[in-house]
Amino acid sequence: MDVPTVSYPLLETIASPADLRRLPAAKLTDLAQELRQFLIHSVATRGGHFAAGLGTVELTIALHYVFNTPDDRLVWDVGHQAYPHKVLTGRREKLHTIKQDAGLAPFPTRSESEYDTFGVGHSSTSISAALGMAVAAAQRGENRKVVAIIGDGALTAGMAFEALNHAGSLPADLLVVLNDNDMSISENVGALSNYLARALSGGLITTLTPPAGPPSAQISLAYRTAVLSGTARNRAGEPVTTPHLRAAEVWRLQITDLAVGGVSGLRLAG
């Protein structure tokens, strides 16, 4: 069965994240609209994980726009929110084959793409996997960034907390993105979910502020966004401002080496 013949003028120019990074920031909002419509068209008529991917469209665009993937590593937890990632990494024309014989896998799969850095299908493994990649990169002297993207449901598992505890004791350059959509398999419940809701709606909303101390000694738990500092660096190490990630709402709490901050992840300002 062929992909529906619907026009996506911007999306159709993206065969890889390198193409995405050539777009002006002002075009990213339009791209997000096209990507969301493509997902609705493709997944709603053929099955697959639907809502999770729709909630990570802007986040996925921001991550691939800022980071130099696949050299920089993105590690998706569980993977059902990675459909936009698959589309932007050369698998757009095959997305309709997900969950079909000889089709795309419904989760990130290393044998499928160099952009799928870790094979997943269960929750709460992304932080420990990303930490291992960050430590390996440091030992090899490789100048690469490593990002774990985990949902608020997966964050409640013990393995995620073990990984955060381990990462906090190491000088690892690791960014953890918390995609908080108030959902697990069903609506999220429990103390952590309540805390995150209070933190976002309470008096912790301040401004976008980078963590104190050397970046290599920080773990940034970025809440609903891609980059806590609001500044990326190109491969020459020169600072590059990222206005498309400008935050309207941010909260930040410093706990020893753990920096926690958050912004809306459904906004791409040009």
Side-chain angles (χ1 to χ4, degrees), residues 22-257:
R22 283 190 282 268
L23 286 179
K27 293 288 187 181
L28 297 183
T29 298
D30 293 338
L31 177 64
Q33 293 174 351
E34 289 187 18
L35 178 51
R36 184 170 279 107
Q37 287 303 312
F38 177 82
L39 290 170
I40 292 171
H41 228 279
S42 301
V43 181
T45 57
R46 289 168 174 81
H49 296 94
F50 191 56
L54 294 179
T56 60
V57 168
E58 286 82 0
L59 175 61
T60 305
I61 291 173
L63 287 167
H64 279 296
Y65 196 88
V66 170
F67 292 100
N68 186 34
T69 54
D71 186 48
D72 291 335
R73 308 294 200 223
L74 302 183
V75 184
W76 297 90
D77 207 282
V78 185
H80 60 284
Q81 76 271 41
Y83 283 23
H85 162 80
K86 286 178 179 278
V87 173
L88 296 177
T89 53
R91 290 167 278 182
R92 172 173 51 84
E93 294 183 355
K94 293 183 178 180
L95 192 70
H96 65 287
T97 69
I98 277 183
K99 291 193 172 184
Q100 297 183 20
D101 185 37
L104 293 181
F107 304 110
T109 303
R110 294 177 64 193
S111 61
E112 189 176 283
S113 172
E114 64 179 332
Y115 293 92
D116 292 358
T117 59
F118 191 64
V120 295
H122 211 285
S123 77
S124 314
T125 60
S126 62
I127 302 175
S128 55
L131 176 61
M133 295 177 195
V135 171
Q139 289 181 345
R140 293 178 178 180
E142 297 172 342
N143 181 26
R144 71 169 82 244
K145 302 297 181 182
V146 184
V147 184
I149 305 97
I150 186 170
D152 53 318
L155 189 66
T156 62
M159 189 172 184
F161 279 95
E162 290 174 6
L164 286 172
N165 183 57
H166 187 192
S169 67
L170 299 176
D173 189 358
L174 172 65
L175 176 67
V176 177
V177 179
L178 173 58
N179 176 34
D180 180 6
N181 58 10
D182 296 325
M183 290 295 294
S184 185
I185 293 177
S186 58
E187 185 176 353
N188 236 0
V189 296
L192 181 60
S193 176
N194 292 338
Y195 167 74
L196 293 174
R198 289 196 308 272
L200 188 61
S201 62
L204 290 175
I205 303 295
T206 55
T207 57
L208 192 64
T209 307
S216 61
Q218 296 291 339
I219 310 164
S220 297
L221 181 60
Y223 183 92
R224 290 183 174 176
T225 190
V227 181
L228 184 61
S229 66
T231 301
R233 292 186 180 274
N234 61 22
R235 305 316 294 172
E238 301 164 336
V240 179
T241 58
T242 55
H244 55 287
L245 291 176
R246 185 171 58 245
E249 296 178 341
V250 183
W251 63 267
R252 179 176 179 273
L253 178 64
Q254 187 75 32
I255 308 176
T256 61
D257 286 340

